[in-house]
Amino acid sequence: MPVGKIPPVTVVHRSTKTYGQHEGLSCCFRQWQATHSHCSLLHGYALGFRFVFATHQLDKHNWCLDFGSLKPVRAWLHEMFDHTVLIARDDPQLGTFEQLSAQGLIALRVLDIVGCEAVASLAFNYVQDFVAEQTGGRVWLESVEVSEHGANSAICQRAG
């Protein structure tokens, strides 16, 4: 390499998209196995989401990701977490919650597991698949942070 030349480096461009508590994603959890805490009771949060996207190659607009392309993600977040009740598939009271749903009293979402970490993992998998499809794999989701409130959050991120 000639003297004074800087070797090329691989760079990563990142951008973030946040859907804060102002989005109104008021979600109710029940973590039935957490019998040592109040989390076994129905309890709610105004969830917030922060996504970190990454790419090695910017698009024709010099963007990592066109934020306008995320409208379906926002719609999915509202469908899953806006005034909904999250219950685990193995909750012994699932039948009761299904009855409440059938009566139009709750908007039930049955998940394999429930909790902030579980929501972060669910959002990570959904958004990663969406972004990979939308960008032909040019952009990947690096991480998602889900906030229950100002003091508690969970992060799911790509390994490695």
Side-chain angles (χ1 to χ4, degrees):
M1 171 162 288
V3 176
K5 282 283 203 175
I6 299 173
V9 296
T10 301
V11 298
V12 175
H13 301 275
R14 290 181 178 83
S15 62
T16 64
K17 181 64 175 172
T18 302
Y19 301 94
Q21 273 82 14
H22 64 277
E23 281 285 329
L25 301 173
S26 300
C27 188
C28 187
F29 289 19
R30 173 173 140 82
Q31 295 164 279
W32 73 271
Q33 292 180 341
T35 56
H36 65 286
S37 78
H38 289 86
C39 292
S40 64
L41 304 174
L42 288 173
H43 58 288
Y45 301 109
L47 296 177
F49 294 80
R50 181 177 186 267
F51 297 95
V52 179
F53 302 99
T55 186
H56 292 295
Q57 180 181 351
L58 299 176
D59 71 7
K60 66 183 179 182
H61 305 289
N62 293 314
W63 296 339
C64 173
L65 181 69
D66 178 358
F67 294 128
S69 71
L70 295 175
K71 288 180 178 117
V73 168
R74 183 177 184 270
W76 178 81
L77 290 172
H78 279 269
E79 174 66 24
M80 287 300 299
F81 307 112
D82 184 7
H83 291 79
T84 60
V85 176
L86 305 183
I87 300 298
R89 193 169 314 287
D90 65 348
D91 189 313
Q93 295 300 318
L94 178 59
T96 301
F97 290 105
E98 289 173 332
Q99 288 175 355
L100 292 170
S101 179
Q103 295 172 17
L105 297 176
I106 63 171
L108 181 63
R109 304 294 180 264
V110 179
L111 306 177
D112 289 336
I113 54 176
V114 174
C116 195
E117 292 84 355
V119 169
S121 182
L122 179 70
F124 184 95
N125 291 326
Y126 179 85
V127 174
Q128 169 56 35
D129 290 349
F130 176 84
V131 168
E133 181 181 318
Q134 292 296 308
T135 67
R138 183 183 60 79
V139 175
W140 64 91
L141 179 61
E142 197 164 83
S143 67
V144 60
E145 181 174 10
V146 177
S147 303
E148 294 175 336
H149 47 70
N152 294 349
S153 70
I155 298 171
C156 182
Q157 68 184 31
R158 176 183 291 268

